[in-house]
Amino acid sequence: QVQLVESGGGLVQAGGSLRLSCAASGRIFSINTMGWYRQAPGKQRELVADITWGGRTNYADSVKGRFTISRENAKNTVYLQMNSLKPEDTAVYYCKGDFESYSRYVLWGQGTQVTVSS
């Protein structure tokens, strides 16, 4: 059974920083892509950043230059370093994994709240 465990959310002031982590465990043969999405109240879920296990990254325009996604291969873990946070970054952040086991499947984390105060 494959699981995703997220951590690192919290409450910070504008201009502050947080680091989110998401660790995948279980019988995983390989990881294609892991990423972070966010959803604010009344809005649809949107991509924040993702990374292939080959190291290619993709960012939403709204976070470029402020957020950095990275992975630690040996731990099957992805991180999101969030700097210069703005109130508009407030949302529930969800980790997403695209895995290869006996077949390809996608798994979502439980979500972690990020709140940025002004």
Side-chain angles (χ1 to χ4, degrees):
Q1 182 178 357
V2 180
Q3 295 179 327
L4 293 177
V5 179
E6 299 174 326
S7 63
L11 173 64
V12 297
Q13 287 188 281
S17 297
L18 285 172
R19 189 180 75 154
L20 307 182
S21 65
C22 176
S25 63
R27 190 168 179 83
I28 300 170
F29 296 163
S30 64
I31 299 173
N32 298 316
T33 304
M34 293 184 71
W36 292 94
Y37 292 70
R38 66 187 181 187
Q39 187 167 22
K43 295 186 177 180
Q44 62 186 11
R45 192 171 299 185
E46 65 176 356
L47 172 71
V48 178
D50 59 19
I51 185 169
T52 72
W53 240 238
R56 291 191 175 184
T57 58
N58 182 49
Y59 295 92
D61 288 342
S62 60
V63 307
K64 286 181 179 177
R66 299 188 298 121
F67 292 9
T68 303
I69 190 168
S70 62
R71 89 288 193 197
E72 190 169 353
N73 292 5
K75 294 184 177 181
N76 289 340
T77 298
V78 66
Y79 304 95
L80 185 68
Q81 179 66 46
M82 303 186 294
N83 299 325
S84 301
L85 283 161
K86 303 175 181 179
E88 48 263 46
D89 296 318
T90 296
V92 177
Y93 284 68
Y94 296 91
C95 179
K96 179 184 178 182
D98 181 350
F99 305 113
E100 298 288 346
S101 184
Y102 290 100
S103 62
R104 177 179 176 269
Y105 63 96
V106 175
L107 186 66
W108 291 87
Q110 79 281 1
T112 184
Q113 177 71 45
V114 172
T115 302
V116 184
S117 65
S118 59

